[in-house]
Amino acid sequence: MSDRFRRGAYYTLLWSVSLLFFTPVAWIIMSSFKTREEILATPPTLIFTPTLDNYIELFTQNQNFLQQLGNSVVMSLSAVVIAVLVSFLAAFCFSRFKPKGTNFLMFILLSIRMLPGPAVILPVFLMFANFGWKDQHIPLVLFYAMFSIPFSVWILKGFLDGVSVRFDETGLANGGSWFHVIFKVVLPQVKPGLIAAFIFNLIFVWNEFLFNFVIGGVQTQNIPYALAVGTYSDGGLNWTFIAALTSIYILPPVAFIYLFQKYLLAGMTFGTVRGEV
Amino acid sequence: MAQPSSLLNDRRTLVFVLLAPVLAFFIVFNTIPTLWLLGLSFYNYSLTSGMPPEFVGFTNFVNIFFNRNGIWSDLSRTFIFVACAVSLQTLLGLMLGFLFWGSRNMPGRRIALTLLFTPMVLTPVATGTFWRFIYDPTFGALNALMGLFGATEPINFLGDPTFAYWAVLAVDCWMWTPFMTLMTLAALGSVPKAELEAAEVDRLTWFEQLRLIVWHHGKFILMLGMLLRTIDSFKTLDLIIPMTNGGPGQQTRLVAVELNKQAFQSFNMGWSSAYAVLLLLISIAMTSVFIHVLNLRRRRERS
């Protein structure tokens, strides 16, 4: 009996910690169901009649919003699909053939992700401005793909190193081409790595602001861009808009970490640590 | 007999074909721009003046080094930020990680962990924006909460020079403590159960168990986590832009914030390039340390 009680107390404690970390997010989600007066009330109101007006207004009154949301979805998906595919080939090459300079290339790849954002984007900005690529979807998507490659290569190489070379040899000995070996034999075995790379980079591009701001523009703007430049402020910040917007925008990443919790660790450490929590 | 795929069976061709796309991406979007950056760091070039770039040698670097309130104060601010963030997050993360260690069978564990891990996958710009809402001196929730505990004067967390830096740091800790918890859980998960049971049989104290077994197996993952946090917090920018954008004064002006301002608000391209080159050197140094630790781990696993 006392053991059961202790267990109950322990679980309650864990749940409280989790809820404590979630409180600020819960607060913003709660605020999105308030009217403007309730949001700006002092002291803040805890009891109120929830209203969906903010969401209705967001979808109907604001043309930009749908465009920005569409940009976010299309750009992050296409960039990450390209990046993961290309990275898989390179990671396979690094893992199996270890060409000269593999370590150096892996190092260079990683160091790009270690550099503060403005330092990465500064020369790219000059290049984009000179070539007239600014504010266009395809160059921006390709840049995002480039930026998603390093971690994808690292994650996938980690997983590919775990697949025995025997599989390749068997496939080749049985008359399969390299194409067959790579896509039919090896690819299915690193599915967890592909998912980890995909999810991790998807969350990254989804959340990315600076690059979109600097080398994108009005046509390509996503939601973080809109938030940062204060698109939704007309004399002071429009908190009802922001609360509703944020609540919608953070849903996909949160859903991803619920659905793909198994892959979270591999993604967050780009494959240097594998396993589940 | 020539097979249709014989070309691909030549090793060198295959290596080239597999690597070509990634190399193409990198040469276009990284190598060329980086060389451009290196070159530009020796020029005086401002986009607002409309003047063509003018070669000035090392003047930009000299200016950066000898400017009071320049890179040195930005760097010291950044490194204090990194040191505080990493140590606080590691400590808290360790505590939470150990707390969650025995929770395999907890009802709703997956939901609880999702809630706990939420802060680190949120859009940093959105996080910064809504923390500004929570920190607000007039209608913010935090001041109201402190009012309940007897605070009389509302505090302008992000506008007051004494608080702004720490307020930003607190949000960073809120965001990234879950990451260190994740790493601690992974480190603890890598400890073999059998060894712990053996230690139990041998009647080792919990401290000896911790020192001899848990630390031995878990230290590398923990170190990787700390390194990743070090590198990431060095880059902190998205979070700061909506909260303070470097202010009040320069209280929260970290290196990334300063570079962002100089490059994309003042358009001092030459000066910014030189600044970026210096940051590039720091990043390369940090990457080397990271790879070194990673190799230590690999070597140990093999032996």
Side-chain angles (χ1 to χ4, degrees):
Chain A
M1 190 61 199
S2 95
D3 192 48
R4 243 180 92 185
F5 174 75
R6 258 172 54 189
R7 193 152 285 272
Y10 172 58
Y11 289 156
T12 316
L13 177 66
L14 295 190
W15 264 99
S16 333
V17 170
S18 302
L19 286 173
L20 186 70
F21 269 86
F22 193 72
T23 311
V25 183
W27 179 251
I28 206 75
I29 294 174
M30 210 167 105
S31 300
S32 72
F33 293 106
K34 292 180 180 177
T35 63
R36 175 175 286 232
E37 287 70 33
E38 283 163 342
I39 282 189
L40 299 180
T42 39
T45 42
L46 276 172
I47 297 149
F48 60 96
T49 338
T51 162
L52 281 175
D53 287 355
N54 297 331
Y55 290 96
I56 295 166
E57 202 182 334
L58 192 62
F59 278 100
T60 53
Q61 307 260 310
N62 202 294
Q63 297 303 313
N64 284 338
F65 171 70
L66 289 178
Q67 187 212 348
Q68 287 153 355
L69 197 64
N71 277 337
S72 283
V73 173
V74 171
M75 288 197 305
S76 44
L77 278 177
S78 43
V80 174
V81 167
I82 297 172
V84 170
L85 182 71
V86 166
S87 306
F88 173 70
L89 297 179
F92 183 84
C93 183
F94 286 144
S95 167
R96 288 302 190 267
F97 302 118
K98 299 186 183 63
K100 253 188 211 155
T102 296
N103 286 335
F104 178 69
L105 277 172
M106 293 287 284
F107 177 82
I108 294 286
L109 283 175
L110 199 61
S111 67
I112 289 153
R113 288 303 290 263
M114 308 287 181
L115 193 60
V120 176
I121 201 67
L122 172 68
V124 179
F125 163 73
L126 293 171
M127 185 172 95
F128 272 47
N130 272 339
F131 293 168
W133 288 352
K134 233 177 139 302
D135 201 6
Q136 285 181 22
H137 286 89
I138 291 172
L140 188 58
V141 163
L142 290 179
F143 178 79
Y144 272 134
M146 187 290 280
F147 206 72
S148 306
I149 286 172
F151 274 14
S152 309
V153 171
W154 270 80
I155 292 173
L156 286 168
K157 180 168 181 290
F159 279 85
L160 281 166
D161 285 344
V163 177
S164 168
V165 192
R166 295 262 168 81
F167 289 105
D168 310 18
E169 286 161 359
T170 316
L172 289 175
N174 287 339
S177 61
W178 272 110
F179 184 85
H180 174 85
V181 169
I182 293 172
F183 288 101
K184 292 278 166 59
V185 180
V186 176
L187 185 83
Q189 301 195 51
V190 292
K191 228 167 89 186
L194 293 170
I195 296 174
F198 188 81
I199 296 301
F200 178 73
N201 285 307
L202 197 67
I203 292 176
F204 176 81
V205 181
W206 180 259
N207 288 342
E208 215 289 323
F209 144 72
L210 183 74
F211 301 156
N212 198 301
F213 175 67
V214 173
I215 60 175
V218 183
Q219 292 302 316
T220 59
Q221 62 179 326
N222 61 5
I223 301 281
Y225 177 110
L227 271 174
V229 300
T231 305
Y232 299 107
S233 52
D234 32 49
L237 284 170
N238 192 342
W239 288 112
T240 49
F241 252 47
I242 288 169
L245 185 74
T246 313
S247 306
I248 293 179
Y249 203 68
I250 62 184
L251 267 181
V254 176
F256 280 144
I257 57 167
Y258 176 75
L259 294 172
F260 300 101
Q261 208 166 76
K262 274 204 283 195
Y263 310 103
L264 190 63
L265 191 62
M268 281 284 166
T269 61
F270 43 93
T272 49
V273 181
R274 261 178 290 159
E276 293 177 33
V277 282
Chain B
M1 280 273 281
Q3 287 177 341
S5 59
S6 68
L7 190 67
L8 276 183
N9 285 334
D10 175 33
R11 217 188 89 127
R12 287 175 72 177
T13 327
L14 187 63
V15 165
F16 180 75
V17 169
L18 290 177
L19 280 185
V22 164
L23 288 180
F25 265 107
F26 268 85
I27 289 167
V28 174
F29 289 110
N30 194 267
T31 312
I32 294 174
T34 304
L35 293 176
W36 200 328
L37 182 81
L38 278 174
L40 206 59
S41 64
F42 297 106
Y43 283 82
N44 182 9
Y45 181 37
S46 165
L47 284 188
T48 45
S49 69
M51 304 277 281
E54 170 201 3
F55 185 79
V56 290
F58 283 94
T59 313
N60 285 325
F61 291 95
V62 172
N63 283 342
I64 288 172
F65 279 131
F66 292 105
N67 188 358
R68 271 156 45 82
N69 269 333
I71 194 167
W72 301 115
S73 51
D74 297 339
L75 273 177
S76 67
R77 224 175 271 128
T78 308
F79 281 120
I80 293 170
F81 189 86
V82 170
C84 290
V86 174
S87 49
L88 275 173
Q89 288 157 20
T90 307
L91 274 178
L92 280 170
L94 273 173
M95 278 163 56
L96 294 183
F98 273 103
L99 198 60
F100 273 85
W101 193 11
S103 66
R104 265 289 145 212
N105 305 315
M106 186 167 87
R109 183 176 190 266
R110 197 162 164 192
I111 301 174
L113 284 182
T114 305
L115 295 183
L116 178 67
F117 294 149
T118 293
M120 65 180 171
V121 295
L122 296 182
T123 319
V125 175
T127 311
T129 315
F130 75 66
W131 273 94
R132 207 167 118 198
F133 176 63
I134 293 171
Y135 276 142
D136 195 280
T138 50
F139 53 85
L142 193 59
N143 270 309
L145 198 66
M146 285 177 32
L148 288 183
F149 291 104
T152 43
E153 281 286 299
I155 296 172
N156 187 356
F157 286 100
L158 297 175
D160 189 321
T162 28
F163 291 109
Y165 189 81
W166 308 106
V168 172
L169 186 69
V171 176
D172 194 71
C173 286
W174 171 73
M175 263 185 101
W176 292 107
T177 296
F179 175 74
M180 286 312 294
T181 311
L182 180 72
M183 293 305 279
T184 310
L185 277 172
L188 291 174
S190 72
V191 179
K193 282 245 162 47
E195 285 188 30
L196 282 176
E197 279 159 14
E200 205 73 56
V201 174
D202 288 345
R203 291 173 185 277
L204 293 184
T205 60
W206 65 267
F207 181 73
E208 284 171 318
Q209 287 187 23
L210 199 64
R211 191 168 57 91
L212 295 171
I213 302 167
V214 176
W215 174 247
H216 177 74
H217 287 282
K219 63 184 171 195
F220 277 104
I221 296 183
L222 197 66
M223 267 159 79
L224 285 182
M226 287 171 71
L227 265 171
L228 281 173
R229 277 312 302 139
T230 307
I231 290 159
D232 261 4
S233 51
F234 179 70
K235 307 196 309 185
T236 310
L237 171 71
D238 286 22
L239 193 62
I240 294 182
I241 288 177
M243 284 211 284
T244 62
N245 200 7
Q250 326 166 328
Q251 287 305 314
T252 56
R253 201 179 74 181
L254 307 186
V255 277
V257 179
E258 170 69 354
L259 182 57
N260 183 47
K261 256 192 192 158
Q262 290 292 339
F264 305 119
Q265 285 168 28
S266 312
F267 294 104
N268 281 328
M269 289 307 168
W271 188 92
S272 307
S273 298
Y275 200 95
V277 169
L278 295 173
L279 295 189
L280 182 67
L281 295 178
I282 297 175
S283 309
I284 287 177
M286 292 204 290
T287 315
S288 313
V289 175
F290 181 81
I291 301 239
H292 179 71
V293 170
L294 211 58
N295 285 341
L296 283 182
R297 173 163 165 250
R298 292 248 167 84
R299 216 168 294 148
R300 200 193 56 140
E301 273 175 357
R302 226 172 280 141
S303 58

